[in-house]
Amino acid sequence: MRSIDEILHDLRDEVRLTLKGNIDVSEVEFEGADLAIYTREPKKFADNGDLVRNLAKKLRARVVIRPDPSVLMGQDETIEKIKYIVPVDANISNYHFDLDTGEVIVEAEKPGIVIGKQGDTLREITKFTGWMPKVVRTPPIESKTVKNIRNFMRSCIDERKDFLRSIGRTIHRDIAPRDNWIRVTTLGGCREVGRSCFLISTPDTRILVDCGVNVGSDDSGTPFLYVPEVTPLTQIDAVVVTHAHLDHSGLVPLLFKYGYKGPVYCTPPTRDLMALLQIDYVAVAAKDGKTIPYDSAMVREMLKRTLTIDYGTVTDIAPDVKLTFHNAGHILGSAICHFHVGNGAHNVVITGDHKYEKSRLFDAAVNKFPRVETVFTESTYGGGKANQPPRKVAEKEFQHIIQETIKREGTVIIPAFAVGRSQEVMIVIEEGIRKGIIDNVPVYLDGMIWEATAIHASHPEYLNADLRDMIFHKGSNPFLNECFKQVDSHTMRRKIIDEPQPCVILATAGMMNGGPVMEYFRAFAPEEKNTIIFVGYQAEGTMGQRIQKGWKEIPLPRNSQGNSNGSGTVKINLEIRTVDGFSGHSDKQQLLNYIRKMNPRPSFVLCEHGDEKSCTQFSSSIYSKLKIKSQAPKNLETFRLE
Ligand code: ZN
């Protein structure tokens, strides 16, 4: 067995041998999953694409070429140079320098012009500045979150470089041939929705997948993180986050509070969205006088150690584990996680939440893999009613309910998750107004919905092609329709409530366990002319589910969202409607089809993320209809997979 220093030494020799002294190499180092080759002649690599491919093949590593810091031109000077090289009609709007990678990210309205004929202009930029240019289209809406995260990452660049190198050395170390076993332990999110958490372990590696919080529960909101398989947290090698919803990502910062120092893997949009939701989560908890599990400093700790991976990129995250993310169709950046464990001994897919149908925002979830033996699948709608109505029918009904309410001068309240359904619902309302199906009334967005929308616009490559085209085509970007009004102050919220006029209010939280929606509900619930429309899943025990079930009166603590008006209970007289079909989750038929059409066919399916009945019924359906071994595990079970 070679030490990591010996491995690196051999790799350096190999690189130099391959390049035969033709190109300068100043340093060779592991950085996360990649082997970074630093050079004072980045242009030579840029001119010779095959060279990098051949190196990667020969070294059996993912090779990235980085300009040696000594050849990088100063940032201001680089900007001047790029302005000089690139024709003005490219309309460059922004530059970001990524010292992590030696990349300069150029935002332009016409990326093609920055790229030039067969990349000519890009090569010019590298030749004169040393920086590797990467061109992206200017996002039509600017996101504060994305900007803040970028600035923050820039501020901790040195720390991050050290971190990437130490992670790289851990991932690429040699491991002794030992017994081959793989186990998965369920730590939360089984026969329940909330606190999703799994542990994949092998003789050499422990990987935590998701670390969610059940926001609706006071006593069982946290995964079982105190069991010996996981404590101390320092023995965890990596954390993988399927998507940004708090029931999957809410307690990731808590891990850092309790001593975890390793990497967090997720897609780029998941990183931005989870930071947004986590910061809001602690802010809302503080406002409601609840115990705060961690503060924003822990979110920053997490960001420092977050490594993003795009869909479809196979990445080593441990000596014996490769991870690949695939589109899950659920929310922006949501991922089906494919783990290739123990040098191919076993392949596990953990779906996170998924939608196996094309929606207004995303393509259908991916279920084609090189290999798969075991699947952990969500089961939210695995029991009860088999199917949701077709999307088209749901959209029509939804537009109709809004228009009926507007006609009788009422207000429509739509409780929504900031991320996912809100953007889908916005598109359908905008279309309704544009086509005259809904009167032209203001549509208020309250509680981070606008910011979440801006994050969507910052990651267009994660949206389906139809929407991507729409948001970049001036005049057809549905999110920029004038009907949308962002509620950005308490005064504005009070005005909407105190001077009611027919309108639509889209507000968080989606399951009505806090957030600005409660303030609107308190104000508009007593009047019959108003309507509340549920478009998302309402978990057991949430306020949303009680209202949906038809409670005539609900207790609403006075301090909720700082509102001191009204009594402790609210009478409910408004119309209560539920429109199924907007869900970001697969319905029962889609859940089954996702497994049925999975290629290759898995040999074991475990059903989680659903209430008890949904998980057990879905598991029985898989066995009876597809003849695949299945189970609905409880929390704290361990399965040996090999
Ligand atoms: Zn989700």
Side-chain angles (χ1 to χ4, degrees):
M1 233 171 60
R2 293 177 299 168
S3 74
I4 187 71
D5 284 315
E6 285 164 341
I7 294 175
L8 260 170
H9 186 269
D10 293 350
L11 281 169
R12 282 184 193 123
D13 283 351
E14 190 96 34
V15 170
R16 296 210 164 94
L17 203 71
T18 312
L19 298 176
K20 299 187 190 98
N22 289 333
I23 305 180
D24 162 83
V25 170
S26 52
E27 206 183 352
V28 177
E29 258 296 345
F30 288 118
E31 289 182 2
D34 301 326
L35 183 71
I37 299 178
Y38 284 81
T39 173
R40 276 176 284 262
E41 298 173 308
K43 186 169 175 297
K44 282 199 183 165
F45 279 103
D47 283 344
N48 197 342
D50 284 347
L51 191 62
V52 181
R53 261 191 301 279
N54 291 341
L55 263 174
K57 218 169 163 186
K58 202 161 173 193
L59 306 174
R60 281 191 293 164
R62 218 165 64 188
V63 170
V64 289
I65 305 300
R66 307 228 193 278
D68 187 279
S70 68
V71 301
L72 293 178
M73 193 183 250
Q75 297 189 9
D76 292 339
E77 217 183 324
T78 302
I79 291 175
E80 286 311 309
K81 200 81 200 173
I82 295 175
K83 278 186 188 159
Y84 178 76
I85 296 172
V86 178
V88 273
D89 36 334
N91 266 339
I92 297 181
S93 55
N94 225 331
Y95 303 85
H96 318 280
F97 291 88
D98 189 343
L99 287 154
D100 245 11
T101 58
E103 273 178 343
V104 53
I105 296 143
V106 181
E107 274 180 18
E109 269 172 35
K110 294 190 179 136
I113 300 180
V114 187
I115 294 166
K117 235 190 214 156
Q118 284 153 357
D120 274 357
T121 317
L122 293 185
R123 276 191 291 274
E124 285 277 282
I125 294 174
T126 305
K127 188 171 158 191
F128 288 106
T129 67
W131 293 89
M132 309 281 215
K134 187 174 156 195
V135 192
V136 297
R137 217 171 330 188
T138 308
I141 311 169
E142 194 178 62
S143 155
K144 265 189 239 153
T145 311
V146 172
K147 204 170 151 187
N148 290 344
I149 291 177
R150 272 185 187 150
N151 286 340
F152 172 69
M153 298 308 247
R154 213 168 299 151
S155 73
C156 51
I157 197 86
D158 291 333
E159 200 181 330
R160 204 172 144 80
K161 188 139 257 177
D162 291 344
F163 173 68
L164 282 173
R165 291 190 171 189
S166 79
I167 292 302
R169 286 167 166 257
T170 314
I171 293 172
H172 295 279
R173 72 184 192 273
D174 261 351
I175 50 174
R178 278 201 264 178
D179 305 334
N180 236 347
W181 53 258
I182 292 149
R183 300 189 306 175
V184 177
T185 306
T186 55
L187 298 169
C190 290
R191 301 196 183 195
E192 64 183 1
V193 172
R195 60 165 171 177
S196 281
C197 193
F198 299 94
L199 177 77
I200 301 177
S201 42
T202 75
D204 295 288
T205 302
R206 287 168 206 231
I207 293 165
L208 208 60
V209 184
D210 283 344
C211 191
V213 59
N214 186 346
V215 282
S217 165
D218 290 328
D219 50 352
S220 57
T222 312
F224 292 88
L225 293 172
Y226 56 80
V227 294
E229 287 93 325
V230 238
T231 46
L233 290 173
T234 43
Q235 59 175 336
I236 304 288
D237 297 273
V239 174
V240 174
V241 180
T242 60
H243 68 289
H245 278 153
L246 290 173
D247 54 333
H248 298 260
S249 81
L251 293 181
V252 175
L254 188 70
L255 301 171
F256 291 93
K257 182 169 163 183
Y258 291 126
Y260 178 63
K261 289 191 170 63
V264 174
Y265 294 97
C266 62
T267 62
T270 296
R271 177 190 67 184
D272 298 346
L273 289 172
M274 76 177 170
L276 177 77
L277 295 180
Q278 289 158 350
I279 286 169
D280 181 68
Y281 163 56
V282 288
V284 169
K287 227 185 247 173
D288 290 351
K290 291 184 186 156
T291 336
I292 305 163
Y294 53 84
D295 57 21
S296 53
M298 289 303 128
V299 178
R300 287 196 292 275
E301 271 319 294
M302 174 197 79
L303 284 172
K304 253 189 236 172
R305 292 175 172 79
T306 299
L307 308 183
T308 59
I309 307 174
D310 286 319
Y311 291 152
T313 308
V314 183
T315 303
D316 291 296
I317 60 167
D320 56 350
V321 182
K322 286 184 201 301
L323 164 67
T324 316
F325 289 137
H326 299 277
N327 169 42
H330 171 62
I331 61 166
L332 186 73
S334 62
I336 306 275
C337 304
H338 180 275
F339 296 91
H340 180 81
V341 193
N343 272 324
H346 206 86
N347 292 265
V348 186
V349 166
I350 297 185
T351 67
D353 297 353
H354 72 75
K355 179 74 177 171
Y356 191 48
E357 179 191 36
K358 188 180 173 191
S359 66
R360 293 268 187 168
L361 302 171
F362 313 111
D363 290 325
V366 170
N367 59 352
K368 308 278 179 278
F369 310 101
R371 273 182 57 189
V372 53
E373 285 83 33
T374 302
V375 179
F376 283 79
T377 172
E378 74 128 305
S379 317
T380 318
Y381 291 116
K385 267 202 296 200
N387 303 326
Q388 289 161 4
R391 202 158 274 265
K392 281 255 172 327
V393 176
E395 290 181 358
K396 239 190 183 147
E397 189 196 355
F398 175 72
Q399 290 171 334
H400 179 73
I401 298 170
I402 294 178
Q403 181 54 15
E404 286 297 297
T405 310
I406 304 284
K407 265 203 322 217
R408 57 177 193 245
E409 308 257 287
T411 294
V412 180
I413 303 176
I414 305 165
F417 285 107
V419 177
R421 279 341 90 197
S422 291
Q423 287 70 36
E424 187 119 33
V425 162
M426 281 169 75
I427 293 172
V428 177
I429 296 175
E430 190 270 345
E431 193 189 76
I433 290 178
R434 189 163 32 87
K435 293 187 172 167
I437 302 164
I438 300 172
D439 290 351
N440 195 357
V441 293
V443 180
Y444 295 107
L445 310 173
D446 199 344
M448 290 189 324
I449 291 172
W450 183 249
E451 181 50 29
T453 305
I455 296 179
H456 281 68
S458 302
H459 296 283
E461 66 279 27
Y462 281 80
L463 303 169
N464 68 32
D466 306 341
L467 181 56
R468 202 161 51 221
D469 288 350
M470 265 160 67
I471 68 169
F472 280 118
H473 203 276
K474 275 218 174 94
S476 73
N477 182 341
F479 299 131
L480 292 180
N481 189 304
E482 282 171 2
C483 65
F484 296 117
K485 317 254 182 249
Q486 188 190 1
V487 181
D488 48 15
S489 68
H490 195 71
T491 326
M492 184 169 172
R493 192 181 298 157
R494 283 316 314 172
K495 196 164 177 242
I496 297 165
I497 289 172
D498 296 339
E499 299 162 27
Q501 49 160 333
C503 67
V504 179
I505 299 165
L506 202 56
T508 56
M511 296 193 203
M512 303 188 73
N513 32 27
V517 70
M518 300 317 292
E519 203 171 330
Y520 295 110
F521 186 73
R522 177 195 281 278
F524 294 111
E527 280 200 70
E528 286 169 14
K529 66 175 181 182
N530 302 323
T531 307
I532 184 165
I533 311 177
F534 291 99
V535 290
Y537 176 72
Q538 303 297 312
E540 212 51 57
T542 54
M543 190 64 83
Q545 201 205 38
R546 287 176 200 167
I547 296 164
Q548 198 179 29
K549 273 186 178 164
W551 285 32
K552 283 288 154 221
E553 207 176 83
I554 52 156
L556 260 190
R558 267 164 207 254
N559 66 348
S560 165
Q561 288 303 302
N563 181 6
S564 55
N565 296 337
S567 69
T569 56
V570 170
K571 286 212 182 330
I572 304 175
N573 297 317
L574 86 176
E575 189 179 349
I576 295 160
R577 301 293 294 264
T578 297
V579 178
D580 291 321
F582 273 115
S583 175
H585 294 276
S586 291
D587 66 20
K588 188 168 187 182
Q589 200 54 50
Q590 290 161 353
L591 280 169
L592 259 177
N593 282 342
Y594 181 80
I595 301 292
R596 185 196 318 250
K597 295 180 182 167
M598 186 172 284
N599 191 357
R601 184 181 152 93
S603 47
F604 188 24
V605 176
L606 296 107
C607 305
E608 35 85 26
H609 195 286
D611 58 29
E612 177 125 20
K613 202 175 101 205
S614 302
C615 293
T616 51
Q617 286 190 357
F618 183 40
S619 172
S620 320
S621 305
I622 289 174
Y623 185 71
S624 61
K625 297 205 165 101
L626 311 181
K627 307 284 177 275
I628 297 174
K629 184 178 140 196
S630 67
Q631 198 166 332
K634 294 179 182 163
N635 288 331
L636 288 179
E637 290 197 64
T638 294
F639 298 86
R640 179 171 177 179
L641 300 181
E642 184 70 16

